[in-house]
Amino acid sequence: NAGVTQTPKFRILKIGQSMTLQCTQDMNHNYMYWYRQDPGMGLKLIYYSVGAGITDKGEVPNGYNVSRSTTEDFPLRLELAAPSQTSVYFCASIGGGLHTEAFFGQGTRLTVV
Amino acid sequence: EDKVVQSPLSLVVHEGDTVTLNCSYEVTNFRSLLWYKQEKKAPTFLFMLTSSGIEKKSGRLSSILDKKELFSILNITATQTGDSAVYLCAVAQGAQKLVFGQGTRLTINP
């Protein structure tokens, strides 16, 4: 079982560059999430989606965009990278109903210099 | 504003000690509370709690939820160095929005 797959694992960006973090899940989960985790901190919700075609802002959406054209994919886009976006990014998915355990990808460590 | 608050933020104990980690929450449309353990990489699932007063147990770990007082505790007995990690509490709301606390960094010294 692949579960939740994130790519890339590591990336260094220059200030002002753009990139897309990819997230794919093969569990047919409706709910998907993007979090960032700064050193020594918990996970902060960036965006989430309750199904294909539907996205919503979390706690820290500024500087990011998402789309959900299919159930499987939930890419996160950084348009103009800033040093404040240096963080570890996690994608997660939930099947819904009573089964609210979140399955996580392995994370993307992003450094903006 | 929805919030999940964990305490303490950091805890250092000796191997064999018992620890209690706390998680309080103020959210709309509560569905469940989840505990995760995070070592080097992604969080790994420990427990999901939906009902007050029912203890969940897994080996030396146990957890309970109080929906009236809006908190949960995670207990670890006879701690081992392998228990050293960040423990994260999360609350699932309404349309499955999942909000995490800041985490408790637990260090077990031999």
Side-chain angles (χ1 to χ4, degrees):
Chain A
N1 283 339
V4 180
T5 303
Q6 278 183 248
T7 56
K9 287 189 173 59
F10 304 94
R11 184 71 186 267
I12 298 175
L13 279 183
K14 293 185 178 177
I15 293 171
Q17 285 186 319
S18 301
M19 78 163 294
T20 299
L21 281 67
Q22 301 291 346
C23 177
T24 299
Q25 52 90 10
D26 62 359
M27 298 172 282
N28 202 33
H29 284 173
N30 286 325
Y31 306 99
M32 296 187 74
Y33 307 82
W34 274 106
Y35 294 92
R36 59 176 287 171
Q37 186 174 35
D38 299 330
M41 305 291 285
L43 279 70
K44 289 193 180 296
L45 182 63
I46 305 172
Y47 271 95
Y48 67 107
S49 168
V50 300
I54 306 169
T55 62
D56 212 343
K57 295 178 181 179
E59 303 164 90
V60 289
N62 292 343
Y64 307 94
N65 274 303
V66 294
S67 59
R68 185 93 183 271
S69 55
T70 66
T71 299
E72 294 78 18
D73 300 308
F74 190 41
L76 177 71
R77 179 113 181 122
L78 285 71
E79 290 293 348
L80 291 169
S84 61
Q85 293 177 304
T86 294
S87 191
V88 178
Y89 292 82
F90 288 102
C91 178
S93 73
I94 290 178
L98 293 176
H99 304 288
T100 53
E101 175 192 347
F103 294 82
F104 283 85
Q106 286 305 299
T108 296
R109 185 175 294 277
L110 175 67
T111 303
V112 182
V113 296
Chain B
E1 182 184 335
D2 298 322
K3 58 181 179 180
V4 179
V5 178
Q6 292 185 244
S7 63
L9 294 181
S10 180
L11 185 59
V12 181
V13 300
H14 290 292
E15 204 166 20
D17 288 350
T18 293
V19 298
T20 298
L21 310 183
N22 303 293
C23 175
S24 64
Y25 61 92
E26 289 181 36
V27 301
T28 54
N29 297 320
F30 174 90
R31 288 178 65 97
S32 62
L33 185 144
L34 301 96
W35 284 97
Y36 285 83
K37 178 182 182 182
Q38 186 179 27
E39 295 173 269
K40 297 292 185 185
K41 293 186 177 179
T44 54
F45 175 76
L46 294 175
F47 298 112
M48 182 178 75
L49 303 152
T50 55
S51 301
S52 279
I54 298 175
E55 186 182 48
K56 293 278 184 95
K57 278 183 73 76
S58 177
R60 296 175 294 102
L61 277 68
S62 64
S63 182
I64 198 161
L65 173 67
D66 186 327
K67 290 170 73 173
K68 183 180 177 186
E69 299 297 330
L70 308 182
F71 78 91
S72 173
I73 59 172
L74 175 68
N75 278 322
I76 308 176
T77 60
T79 52
Q80 303 170 357
T81 54
D83 294 327
S84 294
V86 174
Y87 290 84
L88 296 164
C89 170
V91 173
Q93 306 171 246
Q96 295 293 40
K97 184 178 177 182
L98 189 63
V99 178
F100 280 80
Q102 327 93 294
T104 293
R105 180 173 296 279
L106 177 63
T107 303
I108 311 296
N109 288 327

